[in-house]
Amino acid sequence: MRMSSIFRLVGLLATRLLVTCRAAVGVSQEYLFIDRPFGPGPIYEASQSLSERCRYPPAVGFTVPAFLYSPAPGALGPGADHQTGGVVLLHECVGIQKYVLQVAEALASTGSFTVLVLNVFRESAPQMTPVDSRYVSSEALAKEAEECMWKMQHLDWNAAVTDVGAAVAYLKRSRNVTGVATWGFSMGSALSLLSASRGLPHLAAAIAFYGFPDSETAPGAGRLFDPANVRVPVLAEFGDMDPFVGFSSPSMASYITRTLTRARVTSIVQHGCAHSFMNDEPWARFDGGEHVNETCRRDGLRSALEFLSRTLKVPLRRNASLVEVSVAFASGHELENPAIFVWVLAGVVLAAAWVFVSFAMADPHGSSSPEPTSSREPLLNSC
């Protein structure tokens, strides 16, 4: 076994332990498949001019995959058993990004929310880590942006709304939440508002960050959307430096207030913020996000937490912040005792040291050709 393979194995084990350790400090993560009515077609229309992934888009099928973040058992203290609010997070048109998972973990870490992050595009590698390696140049961004817009403009929006409905029903049925809110980003923002207009059972509120179901950028959603049918409370936020016209422009804040006449709407324009202002990754600077900063992210999270607490009728039991997350497909059997984690991690470190020493003694003069390396990370989710 090559030394690099040993280190890779140890790294994978350590990553898994760090993920499960979150249960000891308050958050449990799972990756699951939620039942939904069968959808026979693809989730978005095929495109022969784009990548293989776009030429052969995934089928809707019987389930929608999702990350589930929830307060870990016992995280709020011995014997504490508090009911939480449910939140369905809806990603942008590039798929699940790290910042969306950061938001999910921040919500769950308050002890007040159980969160589903829907994988609407049914991507095979939704963790997107490291997501930003794709955006190494303006050319790479242009290719990704073209595919992103294609998928949003050719999405089966009815199927996506059914996904949301299945997620809302799952949280209410299986997690006994007080109520469920949707919170979408860009394309997901349009989906959040569209879902709110469809009268989904148990949907109590909707949050829309920088996106609206208009007739140009998201025409499929625009054709289905009836603002008069939105009757749940809505929080809509936009950045005053957003370069997009219509779909997420700052003027949409007042437009939503005027058109959603049967809903209680809170509209906010974040100053000094551009599109995708909740995303702090370096590539966002290629995407009109030069003004992404921690103030935008902090203010956006704070206003959303206050809105969710009020509409879902749950107190904020702990403070929350957007921190780095380790993403993995957790089994759901998380460690509940911090002491156990310490002993297990110590065992892994000792085992790694033993393997290292054994390897060195078995072949003290051996050499191996270095494995080929790349100047950039693999494009996990690119076309």
Side-chain angles (χ1 to χ4, degrees):
M1 179 183 292
R2 291 181 175 179
M3 185 61 68
S4 60
S5 299
I6 295 173
F7 288 138
R8 188 176 295 114
L9 177 60
V10 173
L12 289 172
L13 290 172
T15 299
R16 180 67 182 90
L17 284 170
L18 287 173
V19 172
T20 58
C21 175
R22 286 206 302 271
V25 297
V27 177
S28 175
Q29 178 203 310
E30 303 174 50
Y31 192 70
L32 43 77
F33 294 83
I34 299 169
D35 293 334
R36 69 178 312 282
F38 177 67
I43 190 62
Y44 50 81
E45 186 178 330
S47 171
Q48 298 305 312
S49 64
L50 296 175
S51 71
E52 182 177 357
R53 184 179 64 177
C54 301
R55 288 195 294 272
Y56 306 101
V60 174
F62 286 100
T63 62
V64 55
F67 286 98
L68 175 68
Y69 287 82
S70 57
L76 298 176
D81 184 19
H82 301 293
Q83 196 173 16
T84 62
V87 182
V88 179
L89 295 185
L90 304 169
H91 57 71
E92 300 190 27
C93 63
V94 295
I96 294 178
Q97 296 165 283
K98 188 169 61 176
Y99 87 87
V100 179
L101 301 179
Q102 288 176 332
V103 170
E105 183 155 337
L107 293 175
S109 70
T110 65
S112 302
F113 304 104
T114 300
V115 188
L116 279 175
V117 183
L118 285 193
N119 182 4
V120 175
F121 290 157
R122 286 127 171 105
E123 301 283 3
S124 59
Q127 67 269 43
M128 305 275 287
T129 307
V131 58
D132 313 314
S133 60
R134 296 174 300 163
Y135 301 92
V136 295
S137 66
S138 57
E139 291 77 16
L141 175 66
K143 181 178 179 181
E144 186 70 21
E146 180 184 8
E147 179 196 336
C148 173
M149 293 300 296
W150 171 269
K151 289 190 290 188
M152 180 162 63
Q153 294 179 350
H154 296 84
L155 180 69
D156 185 338
W157 288 91
N158 278 317
V161 170
T162 301
D163 287 345
V164 175
V168 171
Y170 170 84
L171 286 172
K172 188 64 178 177
R173 178 185 68 251
S174 301
R175 299 291 164 166
N176 190 33
V177 296
T178 59
V180 184
T182 53
W183 182 359
F185 307 92
S186 194
M187 183 198 81
S189 175
L191 179 56
S192 179
L193 291 172
L194 177 59
S195 299
S197 74
R198 304 299 282 271
L200 298 179
H202 310 299
L203 184 61
I207 302 178
F209 271 32
Y210 37 85
F212 182 82
D214 64 354
S215 58
E216 294 184 11
T217 306
R223 287 190 294 269
L224 299 172
F225 182 63
D226 184 352
N229 286 338
V230 179
R231 304 186 183 190
V232 298
V234 171
L235 170 64
E237 297 200 16
F238 301 87
D240 69 343
M241 306 187 82
D242 194 315
F244 287 93
V245 177
F247 177 70
S248 60
S249 65
S251 62
M252 273 297 172
S254 59
Y255 181 79
I256 287 178
T257 302
R258 293 196 310 270
T259 55
L260 272 61
T261 56
R262 307 180 77 173
R264 187 170 71 253
V265 179
T266 302
S267 291
I268 298 175
V269 176
Q270 297 283 9
H271 296 289
C273 305
H275 191 73
S276 196
F277 61 75
M278 291 296 288
N279 192 345
D280 67 337
E281 296 296 343
W283 71 262
R285 294 178 174 81
F286 287 108
D287 194 23
E290 309 86 60
H291 306 284
V292 170
N293 57 61
E294 284 305 311
T295 299
C296 302
R297 284 159 49 83
R298 184 180 64 249
D299 291 349
L301 178 63
R302 182 177 63 247
S303 58
L305 282 170
E306 292 171 353
F307 176 82
L308 291 170
S309 176
R310 183 174 67 253
T311 56
L312 300 182
K313 298 178 173 58
V314 290
L316 295 176
R317 302 182 177 100
R318 287 180 173 175
N319 294 327
S321 62
L322 295 170
V323 297
E324 199 73 18
V325 296
S326 299
V327 183
F329 296 92
S331 65
H333 302 290
E334 310 290 2
L335 293 176
E336 299 179 17
N337 189 332
I340 294 177
F341 169 75
V342 172
W343 283 110
V344 173
L345 183 58
V348 170
V349 173
L350 289 174
W354 178 83
V355 170
F356 178 83
V357 172
S358 299
F359 182 87
M361 293 180 64
D363 187 18
H365 303 293
S367 62
S368 59
S369 58
E371 294 186 9
T373 58
S374 173
S375 59
R376 54 183 290 189
E377 296 288 345
L379 310 188
L380 294 182
N381 231 4
S382 67
C383 278

